[in-house]
Amino acid sequence: MDLIKGAMSVKIPRRSSRLHRRDTLQRDRSGLETLLSKYSLGYFDLLPVELRFNIMSFLGIEELSMMTICSKAMRNLVEVYRLTRCSGPHYLSHTDVHGHLSVEQQSAALTKYYRIGLLMKRSTCLFATKDRLKIINDFLTRISCCNTKSCIDQSECVALLCFGKFLHTIIAGWDDTECLRTFDAICQHAFIQKQIERVMASKPGTYADLEMSVRYFFRRVFLDLCTTVNDKAFWLSRILKPWPIVFQARLLFIIYTGNLSAGKIHWQEMSESSPVNAHQSLQLYGHLSSALQVLHQRISEWCSDEIICIIDEMTSLPEEWLVENVSGLLLSCGESIATKMLVSKVINGRYSEITAIIASLCLVCVKHNHGLNLITPMMECMLKVIDNARDRYLLLCRISNTFRELIIDTHEFAESEDANETEFYYYLSAFTEFSKEMSTLAFKDILGI
């Protein structure tokens, strides 16, 4: 027994090599974790900077964008990579968007600039607004058409549209005060204010190319990419509000008129001819009437009188519009704006204008296959604001007399026999439909309608 005890006391205990390796690995890992706790990027910080950037070059814009919201240190690394590397998916040469692009290429370019905007938005989320505006203005300088020889035809160039996509992505969620600062900074940087002043100080059409530049700038950077009515109303108000009513009307016409010829605004057409069908009418007035409706809904900044004044001034540029064109615009603007416009003319005693517009409204409805349903509520509103019963009766008589004069003039002074028959038919049909509507209005109680 004593021999056994003595032998066991000197025997080396058996130990597994696997357990030995585990203990060693745990000690190494503990030391590595202590070391890594000193670095903000963990294992990624152990790599040389060039190797880190080499790894990041295999990532797409979306992956880089997601990395910026992981941590402040990762965001800083991505920002340094973006600023110092002139290759990779994040890099934009800006020359590719100045030439003629197909629809697919334009869509791809807009998608890329949206992703770049999202990357910039996330990587600069902690920057002050003024620092973000510096980045935006620098981006505008590099993409601007005047700073490159690649832009041959500005009407087909999508560079400003790409910048607009980039801009709207960055400022999404900003409050109105920051957006106003952004608008002022961009307009000042692009010298757009001076361009507008030069255009407004001259007769319409004098600086045709400058007018189109103003149109492209505001449409592509601020307006065309708006996703909501409120956004469009905000930017449109920022564009128009600094100017007097006369300039507001002219500027709105420059931005939204569909009256273009050879890439320039055809100012005289509104005073010389009118659309022959509903499709041409939509092309001519569609965007313009939509903008007026947007402003009309912005009650906090625009009142009805201002909208009416803008329409009044616009329909006098550069000369008085044909009454049929005025009626076409009002019809496109909708019942609310058209009724307020006519009621305003009644209050101001402009009966000759009212009768001509009513007759032309009926004519446009007949030509474009619209019903005269809008005419009845307009007539009711106009008659209600006239206190004297005799004046109400005289207004109806004047409208009938206007129809008679138009029908006679069409019969006597038509340039060709075919045009004579067509116009004569339209005016006669318009008067007939108007008479039906007025008869219904007069006897609606008896008819039970």
Side-chain angles (χ1 to χ4, degrees):
M1 181 65 69
D2 293 333
L3 290 174
I4 294 173
K5 290 181 179 179
M8 291 185 65
S9 63
V10 297
K11 184 178 179 180
I12 300 176
R14 180 181 176 276
R15 183 169 180 81
S16 171
S17 60
R18 179 180 59 81
L19 296 177
H20 179 71
R21 287 196 302 272
R22 187 189 65 180
D23 292 341
T24 304
L25 183 61
Q26 287 178 346
R27 287 194 300 269
D28 294 342
R29 184 177 297 171
S30 177
L32 183 60
E33 289 177 353
T34 304
L35 178 64
L36 290 176
S37 64
K38 301 177 182 180
Y39 297 102
S40 54
L41 295 178
Y43 288 99
F44 209 49
D45 251 339
L46 299 178
L47 302 176
V49 174
E50 287 298 327
L51 184 54
R52 292 184 230 169
F53 287 173
N54 189 37
I55 294 173
M56 294 170 71
S57 66
F58 290 94
L59 302 178
I61 303 176
E62 298 90 341
E63 288 79 10
L64 292 174
S65 181
M66 293 302 296
M67 287 174 66
T68 59
I69 59 177
C70 293
S71 67
K72 183 178 179 180
M74 186 62 78
R75 187 204 68 209
N76 293 339
L77 180 65
V78 173
E79 186 69 4
V80 173
Y81 169 74
R82 186 186 63 81
L83 293 173
T84 58
R85 290 298 180 270
C86 296
S87 62
H90 68 285
Y91 179 70
L92 299 173
S93 64
H94 300 301
T95 58
D96 300 335
V97 292
H98 288 286
H100 177 71
L101 302 179
S102 64
V103 176
E104 294 77 11
Q105 290 173 326
Q106 291 181 24
S107 177
L110 289 174
T111 301
K112 186 171 185 178
Y113 276 81
Y114 164 75
R115 292 170 177 171
I116 290 294
L118 192 59
L119 172 61
M120 295 288 290
K121 180 181 181 68
R122 289 171 172 172
S123 64
T124 61
C125 61
L126 299 180
F127 288 18
T129 302
K130 63 178 182 179
D131 295 325
R132 282 178 151 187
L133 291 180
K134 290 178 181 178
I135 296 173
I136 292 173
N137 283 334
D138 177 65
F139 200 90
L140 176 59
T141 300
R142 287 185 281 124
I143 202 173
S144 180
C145 296
C146 61
N147 293 332
T148 180
K149 296 180 181 179
S150 303
C151 186
I152 301 175
D153 186 359
Q154 193 176 5
S155 63
E156 296 184 350
C157 179
V158 296
L160 285 178
L161 197 61
C162 289
F163 172 74
K165 192 69 174 180
F166 169 82
L167 173 67
H168 281 268
T169 305
I170 287 184
I171 65 176
W174 289 18
D175 59 36
D176 289 352
T177 305
E178 291 178 311
C179 290
L180 178 58
R181 287 181 61 186
T182 303
F183 176 81
D184 292 338
I186 291 174
C187 289
Q188 184 177 1
H189 189 76
F191 302 105
I192 196 68
Q193 206 80 353
K194 293 183 178 179
Q195 296 181 33
I196 296 175
E197 290 174 357
R198 191 174 182 183
V199 168
M200 296 303 165
S202 58
K203 293 181 179 180
T206 303
Y207 297 103
D209 292 337
L210 208 55
E211 289 172 351
M212 294 304 295
S213 294
V214 171
R215 175 189 176 95
Y216 292 141
F217 181 83
F218 284 131
R219 286 280 296 268
R220 294 171 179 176
V221 175
F222 295 108
L223 298 171
D224 286 353
L225 294 171
C226 291
T227 56
T228 65
V229 173
N230 286 334
D231 286 344
K232 189 174 182 179
F234 174 82
W235 292 117
L236 200 52
S237 298
R238 302 289 71 74
I239 294 168
L240 300 178
K241 274 297 183 180
W243 306 98
I245 290 289
V246 179
F247 290 172
Q248 288 178 7
R250 187 168 167 184
L251 189 54
L252 187 63
F253 186 81
I254 289 173
I255 294 172
Y256 276 118
T257 180
N259 195 14
L260 302 178
S261 176
K264 298 178 181 179
I265 296 174
H266 190 184
W267 289 93
Q268 299 296 331
E269 186 176 357
M270 291 296 193
S271 307
E272 297 172 351
S273 62
S274 56
V276 296
N277 52 47
H279 177 68
Q280 285 189 7
S281 180
L282 182 62
Q283 286 184 324
L284 204 59
Y285 313 123
H287 291 298
L288 202 55
S289 60
S290 176
L292 289 168
Q293 289 172 344
V294 165
L295 295 180
H296 186 249
Q297 295 174 18
R298 187 86 172 181
I299 303 174
S300 59
E301 291 189 84
W302 299 89
C303 64
S304 298
D305 289 341
E306 288 178 306
I307 304 300
I308 292 170
C309 289
I310 288 176
I311 295 176
D312 256 338
E313 293 292 342
M314 187 186 300
T315 52
S316 302
L317 290 172
E319 301 173 359
E320 291 291 335
W321 287 15
L322 296 177
V323 182
E324 193 172 331
N325 286 330
V326 177
S327 301
L329 177 62
L330 291 178
L331 193 65
S332 185
C333 286
E335 180 184 342
S336 179
I337 294 178
T339 301
K340 290 177 181 178
M341 184 78 180
L342 294 174
V343 168
S344 173
K345 291 183 183 296
V346 170
I347 294 173
N348 292 309
R350 297 160 68 175
Y351 290 104
S352 58
E353 293 182 31
I354 294 169
T355 55
I357 290 175
I358 290 295
S360 293
L361 278 172
C362 296
L363 177 64
V364 171
C365 288
V366 169
K367 276 187 174 182
H368 300 167
N369 297 319
H370 296 314
L372 269 66
N373 300 331
L374 294 178
I375 304 299
T376 302
M378 289 180 189
M379 290 298 301
E380 284 184 315
C381 291
M382 286 191 296
L383 293 173
K384 284 179 181 178
V385 298
I386 301 176
D387 297 330
N388 193 314
R390 179 173 174 78
D391 290 340
R392 291 195 287 268
Y393 170 74
L394 289 176
L395 176 61
L396 293 175
C397 290
R398 286 183 178 182
I399 295 174
S400 298
N401 291 336
T402 300
F403 271 111
R404 182 188 63 189
E405 293 171 2
L406 290 171
I407 292 172
I408 293 174
D409 289 344
T410 303
H411 179 69
E412 292 182 352
F413 302 108
E415 295 180 358
S416 67
E417 188 173 343
D418 291 339
N420 181 12
E421 293 180 359
T422 303
E423 287 298 311
F424 186 81
Y425 167 77
Y426 281 140
Y427 275 117
L428 196 57
S429 299
F431 181 61
T432 303
E433 294 300 321
F434 176 76
S435 300
K436 290 179 182 178
E437 291 294 328
M438 291 303 99
S439 299
T440 303
L441 177 61
F443 299 106
K444 61 181 180 181
D445 294 335
I446 299 176
L447 296 173
I449 299 177

